[in-house]
Amino acid sequence: MNTYLLIGDSQAEGLLPYIHERMHARGFTMVGAATHVGWKTARFVSEQAAVALSRVNPDVVLVVLGGNDIATTASARAVLAEDIRQFLAQIRSSSSPHIIWIGPAHSTDPNTSRRHEAVADVQSSMLPALGVEWHDGGPMTEDLGHAADGVHFPRTSLIRWADRINQALFTNEHSTRWVGAVSLLAAAAGIAGIAWLYFR
């Protein structure tokens, strides 16, 4: 069985039902979720929200997080980088899942847009080196209609964003490798189970 977790902020909460539909269609079962409106990466670290979830040993952890973070100064970037390292350590505290991280979405509010871009720069500069598959949420969402706040998205836009995440996860070269590996492991587990039943 291919399993996954979804962890993130309000954008993850909005995407959750549509991500679930698409991952289910791909043969993945959601075994947990932690989506919290307004939470920064630091809040996830302090609350240790990922620690208990990691104990279910998911194959994949999908993270949609960063929209509330700040990286507009050198000191803020350093703090965020350390928060990200601790957050990843918590995800990996009980298992070694494939981690996929979707960066902050596009915003029509200029101040929010600058903040998101700064956070995306920090994420993109460190996450791949830490073994995380990172996707830039800005280009994924820049042509989608926003809610009145210029930050969040109505249902129609969330559906389109979920479609794009689905496409990125299953057509990206790096993603294709992990999907193949997970499927191979699942098949091997099934064969082992059949063999155990036959020879016991």
Side-chain angles (χ1 to χ4, degrees):
M1 180 175 64
N2 300 334
T3 60
Y4 77 101
L5 300 173
L6 177 63
I7 301 176
D9 52 28
S10 57
Q11 303 288 24
E13 184 172 271
L15 285 165
L16 192 154
Y18 312 112
I19 291 291
H20 174 68
E21 289 174 0
R22 285 148 186 79
M23 292 294 281
H24 180 73
R26 297 281 190 176
F28 283 79
T29 299
M30 180 182 285
V31 291
T35 59
H36 299 286
V37 175
W39 279 30
K40 300 178 180 181
T41 303
R43 179 73 182 274
F44 277 91
V45 172
S46 64
E47 299 286 346
Q48 299 192 17
V51 174
L53 288 175
S54 72
R55 296 187 185 122
V56 303
N57 297 315
D59 298 305
V60 177
V61 174
L62 177 59
V63 180
V64 183
L65 184 61
N68 301 301
D69 287 332
I70 298 173
T72 50
T73 65
S75 60
R77 288 192 291 273
V79 169
L80 177 58
E82 182 57 28
D83 289 337
I84 289 172
R85 291 188 188 93
Q86 291 187 43
F87 179 58
L88 293 176
Q90 290 180 356
I91 292 175
R92 293 166 168 157
S93 60
S94 298
S95 59
S96 300
H98 181 75
I99 303 173
I100 303 166
W101 194 310
I102 310 298
H106 177 264
S107 173
T108 57
D109 176 74
N111 291 331
T112 303
S113 179
R114 284 191 290 271
R115 182 165 53 78
H116 284 188
E117 289 172 2
V119 170
D121 284 343
V122 173
Q123 292 181 352
S124 64
S125 68
M126 63 182 298
L127 286 172
L130 294 172
V132 175
E133 179 183 339
W134 185 79
H135 296 272
D136 193 345
M140 276 188 178
T141 55
E142 62 186 349
D143 65 337
L144 300 181
H146 286 75
D149 63 4
V151 177
H152 297 94
F153 300 92
R155 178 178 180 274
T156 53
S157 294
L158 288 169
I159 290 172
R160 292 179 65 192
W161 189 9
D163 284 336
R164 292 171 183 181
I165 291 172
N166 180 56
Q167 182 179 16
L169 265 54
F170 291 93
T171 60
N172 174 275
E173 180 183 353
H174 183 73
S175 289
T176 301
R177 287 198 295 269
W178 70 256
V179 171
V182 168
S183 299
L184 186 62
L185 287 172
I191 292 170
I194 292 170
W196 181 82
L197 289 171
Y198 184 79
F199 289 110
R200 70 190 181 104

